[in-house]
Structures are given as C-alpha cells and as structure tokens.
Amino acid sequence: MSTTRHRSRDRTVRSPAYSVAGILLAAPFVALLWVSSYARDTPRLFGFPFFYWYQFLWVLISAVSTYLAYRLVRGVERTRARLEHREGGPR
C-alpha cells in the first residue's frame, strides 16, 4: 500500500478506505475464530447442522468482503495516481 504525503506537515496521511478495507478483511477471521458462537447443532438448514452451514456462509462472505476491500483500495490508489499525474509528480 502506498501512502500520501501531506505537504504542510511531513507526516503520512491514509485514506479512511484503508481502515474500512482492514475491517472487511478482519471480520471473517474474528467471526470464525470465535468458535463458541457457532458450535451448536441448531438451527439446521436443509438438514445441515448450524456448525457447518455457518462456516460455509463465511466462505462466501469472505470472498465478497475481499473483493470489496480490493475495490476500495484500488479506487484510492487510482485517485492518488490521477492526482499525481495531474500535478506532475509524487505528492
């Protein structure tokens, strides 16, 4: 990940999109590492115990959240690159 330099102060400024992307990437880990929240048999879905279908649901949620995090960071990077190109160099 690249960072953007603020001209008036020599400190690194990050877009809030990076924080949102981090939360999107961390959520599946937290949800699946908290085993006591889903270590049960009921409710069943099409005969499958909750333990199994809950984990499978998080596989799908993880794929979507990874895609969204990618799009967020990519959008920030494209905007930053466009601004640098317009200003004639890195900020």
Side-chain angles (χ1 to χ4, degrees), residues 10-49:
D10 193 28
R11 70 172 247 219
T12 303
V13 178
R14 288 210 184 260
S15 167
Y18 288 108
S19 298
V20 173
I23 291 168
L24 285 170
L25 294 174
F29 290 105
V30 172
L32 291 173
L33 287 175
W34 185 22
V35 178
S36 63
S37 70
Y38 63 91
R40 57 181 188 261
D41 191 40
T42 57
R44 289 182 170 257
L45 181 68
F46 304 115
F48 290 99

Side-chain angles (χ1 to χ4, degrees), residues 6 9 13 15 24-25 27-29 32 34 41 46-48 52 56 61 69 72 77 79 81 84 86-87 90-91:
H6 190 274
R9 290 180 254 150
V13 178
S15 167
L24 285 170
L25 294 174
F29 290 105
L32 291 173
W34 185 22
D41 191 40
F46 304 115
F48 290 99
Y52 291 113
F56 183 71
I61 292 170
L72 278 171
E77 292 297 318
T79 302
E84 285 179 1
R86 192 177 302 155
E87 292 177 359
R91 292 172 68 186

